[in-house]
Amino acid sequence: MTHPHRQHTAHEVDDLHRALSCSNPQQRLQAAMAIGTRAEPRDLDVLIARCRIEPDFFVRDMLTWALTRLPADDTVARLVAELDSPLPQAISQSLHTLSKIGDVRAWPAMDPSRIGTAFIAHTDTEVARSAWRAAVALVPGEDREELASVLVTQLGRGDLEMQKSLSRAIVALGEDLVSVVDERLHAEDDTVRAHAMATRDMFDDPDAGFAHALDAAKRVVALGSEATV
């Protein structure tokens, strides 16, 4: 006896997997959506492999969504294994997806007390930003202060958007940790001091515009430096 339905399903799987590699990003997006909609564990390897190399932001976001639909018991371990990849995109996508899944079993793989600042201070911007968000999403309550102490070592890094990402991550850890930021208000580096001030302002008013807060902080720092001179 034949099973035409099962045969069709197998072909459908192959077609969707092939569609993830086609040149048209809209087709790749639709394939990722279809895979996520059916949420079958057999798609795990193909989704993770595509995350490593997918160039389109929206398709990557859909791949992440598809992965969050699969059983965490299988997905989390595979994503953690991806953190050893030599490809920055593989690492950043895995961290991003782990933050969306929210399974605390992933925390030891990014815990600074275990692995140092390999991810949080990564030279690749997207890896670092993904690491900040993932760490904040997964850190156990008792490790929040230690994580904040590591995150503030990155104050002053990057452009406006990167600095905003870091400030948001630090603020998200909780207002009881504002003293960790206060320690950086007297840093020797003007950029670090200004970023710390802007982050401090976000604790007081999370809805305030970061760019405005940073500009104001830079003026304060500049005036302070002139007074010192």
Side-chain angles (χ1 to χ4, degrees):
M1 180 178 176
T2 59
H3 298 279
H5 179 68
R6 291 181 185 173
Q7 186 73 23
H8 174 74
T9 301
H11 284 314
E12 184 182 57
V13 171
D14 291 339
D15 287 344
L16 286 173
H17 289 180
R18 280 193 294 270
L20 280 180
S21 302
C22 73
S23 59
N24 187 322
Q26 189 59 36
Q27 286 181 269
R28 299 199 303 274
L29 184 71
Q30 291 172 349
M33 184 185 299
I35 291 172
T37 299
R38 73 182 180 204
E40 295 184 3
R42 61 183 166 179
D43 297 320
L44 177 58
D45 289 344
V46 172
L47 289 170
I48 287 182
R50 189 64 203 175
C51 281
R52 297 172 189 149
I53 58 173
E54 173 55 51
D56 186 272
F57 169 81
F58 296 104
V59 179
R60 290 200 302 272
D61 216 35
M62 191 62 72
L63 291 169
T64 286
W65 173 77
L67 284 166
T68 66
R69 302 260 300 152
L70 301 180
D73 284 348
D74 300 325
T75 310
V76 170
R78 286 301 314 279
L79 290 169
V80 167
E82 281 292 283
L83 298 179
D84 291 327
S85 172
L87 300 174
Q89 180 168 303
I91 301 172
S92 63
Q93 278 300 114
S94 292
L95 287 166
H96 175 63
T97 306
L98 287 167
S99 73
K100 294 298 184 183
I101 294 172
D103 193 308
V104 296
R105 287 176 292 183
W107 170 246
M110 62 188 76
D111 180 357
S113 70
R114 293 174 180 241
I115 68 164
T117 59
F119 297 136
I120 285 172
H122 200 283
T123 54
D124 184 272
T125 298
E126 288 309 311
V127 171
R129 290 175 66 172
S130 296
W132 302 340
R133 291 190 292 263
V136 169
L138 298 173
V139 62
E142 65 271 18
D143 293 335
R144 287 184 308 119
E145 184 171 359
E146 185 173 1
L147 175 59
S149 296
V150 177
L151 287 176
V152 297
T153 66
Q154 300 302 297
L155 287 169
R157 176 180 173 180
D159 60 12
L160 175 66
E161 286 304 310
M162 191 167 191
Q163 291 187 16
K164 180 166 67 174
S165 292
L166 179 60
S167 294
R168 284 178 171 171
I170 294 170
V171 171
L173 285 173
E175 60 183 17
D176 57 313
L177 298 177
V178 69
S179 61
V180 178
V181 177
D182 288 344
E183 294 171 6
R184 311 296 286 188
L185 293 174
H186 307 291
E188 290 186 11
D189 188 285
D190 287 354
T191 305
V192 173
R193 287 209 311 280
H195 193 183
M197 284 182 191
T199 305
R200 186 68 170 74
D201 288 344
M202 289 182 71
F203 273 104
D204 295 331
D205 186 4
D207 296 324
F210 177 77
H212 175 74
L214 186 60
D215 282 342
K218 286 179 178 177
R219 287 195 295 273
V220 171
V221 168
L223 288 171
S225 297
E226 289 174 8
T228 301
V229 173

